[in-house]
Amino acid sequence: MSLFFDIRRYSINDGPGIRITLFMKGCPLSCIWCHNPEGISLQKEKMYTRKKCIGCQTCVEYCPHQALKLTPNGILTDRKFCRLCDQCVAVCPTKAMEISGTEYSLDYLMREIEKETIFMDRSGGGVTFCGGEPLMHPDTLLELLHRCRTLGIHRTVDTTLFASPEVVSRVMEETDLFLVDLKLMDSGKHCYYCGVPNDRILSNLRMVAEAGKELLIRIPLIEGINADEENIRQSARFLFELPWKQKKVHLLPYHDIARNKHEKLGTRYNPEDIPMATPTEKTIEHCRFIFQTHEIEVIVGG
Ligand code: SF4
Ligand code: SF4
């Protein structure tokens, strides 16, 4: 079963033109700065926004499993009892309660995609699959990509490339553009900050480049994690040697925008308090300089 946690229309940062972006739930990585922590688990999750809650306790009254109670910090969900049945979401008058993760039929998703074709056609846009990690759902993803192809819709897959080479190779046949994050070149550090080593990612990236696929590389630039001279030089060297045509990276300066989402999920952002900061202008310019000396164009931002 493939769950989706968002469908975003009029998106302009997920590939060329105006796009519809489908967010698939589940990711094999768990980067500590992840902007979409609700995309990590493959399962449905309950989310609660305290500032929207008026304390009416309708949810408490209607929960069939007595999983909710009002506390001085708002409504508390006892996850041992919650069955993710959606009752509290249905009765909450302020939309303070949400369930992240919905299963849609492929026909429904295609109808949603097709509704956007007027904007795609005018802007050179299309559809983007991201997550989470869309490659965790190869059958669903491939079927949607294939159906989009038959309609002439431009297809982008935003991926970590942490998947088997077989899956990457099958998806490659049905994809026009890959958006790939390059996070850390040191595999040990990648494992520590993202939960998995990076060797599979780098070899898949090489495979996609060698196949001549269109690639857009993005680097989330985080002071304290990957904005150091050594990592940036290693990244630039790796990308310089990659046989890809575009030779362009997007540097995405870090912001702790996921903090609110962790609050909604009832989880803690960066629980080990690992120091992370937005890089200074000086650091960004130095990174730009390093990439440029490797003949790679730099764009700062999405
Ligand atoms: S999702 Fe269902 S079980 Fe869970 S808290 Fe809401 S009403 Fe109760
Ligand atoms: S129903 Fe909604 S607004 Fe009322 S207490 Fe529950 S979460 Fe808050």
Side-chain angles (χ1 to χ4, degrees):
M1 178 174 67
S2 299
L3 297 177
F4 291 77
F5 64 93
D6 200 5
I7 297 176
R8 190 185 294 156
R9 293 171 174 79
Y10 318 118
S11 168
I12 52 166
N13 291 319
D14 300 321
I18 299 174
R19 313 189 71 82
I20 178 167
T21 303
L22 278 63
F23 293 78
M24 303 183 82
K25 208 155 157 36
C27 183
L29 277 65
S30 49
C31 308
I32 54 169
W33 58 87
C34 178
H35 286 179
N36 292 325
E38 75 277 40
I40 293 176
S41 167
L42 278 162
Q43 312 300 325
K44 286 186 180 193
E45 286 170 287
K46 181 105 179 307
M47 294 176 88
Y48 166 68
T49 309
R50 192 182 165 199
K51 63 175 183 266
K52 285 191 189 169
C53 176
I54 53 172
C56 66
Q57 298 193 65
T58 314
C59 53
V60 179
E61 192 185 322
Y62 277 83
C63 173
H65 303 284
Q66 289 75 50
L68 300 173
K69 71 173 174 194
L70 184 64
T71 74
N73 293 320
I75 296 291
L76 194 73
T77 302
D78 188 331
R79 290 174 201 275
K80 283 197 304 295
F81 297 115
C82 175
R83 298 285 175 274
L84 297 166
C85 70
D86 239 357
Q87 284 284 323
C88 56
V89 178
V91 298
C92 175
T94 63
K95 297 196 180 341
M97 291 285 181
E98 294 166 79
I99 300 272
S100 170
T102 307
E103 191 183 10
Y104 299 108
S105 72
L106 297 185
D107 289 344
Y108 171 86
L109 290 169
M110 286 310 301
R111 280 197 298 277
E112 293 304 298
I113 292 168
E114 283 183 67
K115 280 182 200 165
E116 305 304 311
T117 49
I118 185 162
F119 303 106
M120 297 173 193
D121 293 347
R122 285 186 188 164
S123 65
V127 58
T128 298
F129 296 93
C130 76
E133 173 49 73
L135 301 187
M136 285 191 91
H137 308 270
D139 295 338
T140 306
L141 179 64
L142 279 162
E143 180 62 27
L144 289 168
L145 288 169
H146 178 72
R147 290 199 199 184
C148 288
R149 177 162 61 139
T150 59
L151 296 171
I153 295 172
H154 181 273
R155 302 150 302 166
T156 293
V157 175
D158 182 353
T159 171
T160 65
L161 285 181
F162 189 85
S164 73
E166 292 74 26
V167 165
V168 175
S169 154
R170 282 167 64 208
V171 170
M172 207 159 64
E173 297 303 314
E174 291 286 0
T175 300
D176 299 303
L177 167 68
F178 281 99
L179 303 184
V180 182
D181 272 13
L182 190 64
K183 300 165 201 292
L184 277 151
M185 295 305 292
D186 181 285
S187 196
K189 287 186 185 168
H190 197 281
C191 208
Y192 183 70
Y193 293 119
C194 303
V196 298
N198 67 3
D199 44 344
R200 180 185 281 202
I201 293 169
L202 299 182
S203 65
N204 282 334
L205 187 49
R206 199 170 285 114
M207 179 174 76
V208 173
E210 282 170 359
K213 294 305 287 191
E214 209 180 327
L215 264 173
L216 203 150
I217 305 287
R218 301 192 292 195
I219 299 182
L221 202 60
I222 311 166
E223 199 86 70
I225 304 285
N226 68 351
D228 56 284
E229 176 99 17
E230 190 184 349
N231 181 61
I232 296 301
R233 283 202 179 278
Q234 283 180 16
S235 307
R237 212 170 301 128
F238 174 80
L239 292 174
F240 174 73
E241 286 165 4
L242 212 58
W244 58 320
K245 288 176 268 175
Q246 294 80 18
K247 301 278 179 204
K248 189 194 286 182
V249 296
H250 288 242
L251 299 180
L252 310 177
Y254 162 82
H255 295 286
D256 65 350
I257 56 174
R259 204 175 278 281
N260 282 345
K261 288 190 177 176
H262 276 281
E263 272 173 30
K264 287 185 184 188
L265 287 164
T267 51
R268 204 176 138 208
Y269 180 72
N270 185 15
E272 289 174 34
D273 290 323
I274 291 166
M276 293 189 285
T278 305
T280 60
E281 277 303 314
K282 194 174 161 200
T283 302
I284 294 170
E285 285 314 308
H286 187 55
C287 295
R288 185 200 295 275
F289 171 75
I290 294 171
F291 283 109
Q292 284 173 340
T293 59
H294 288 79
E295 299 168 19
I296 297 166
E297 188 189 339
V298 171
I299 293 171
V300 178

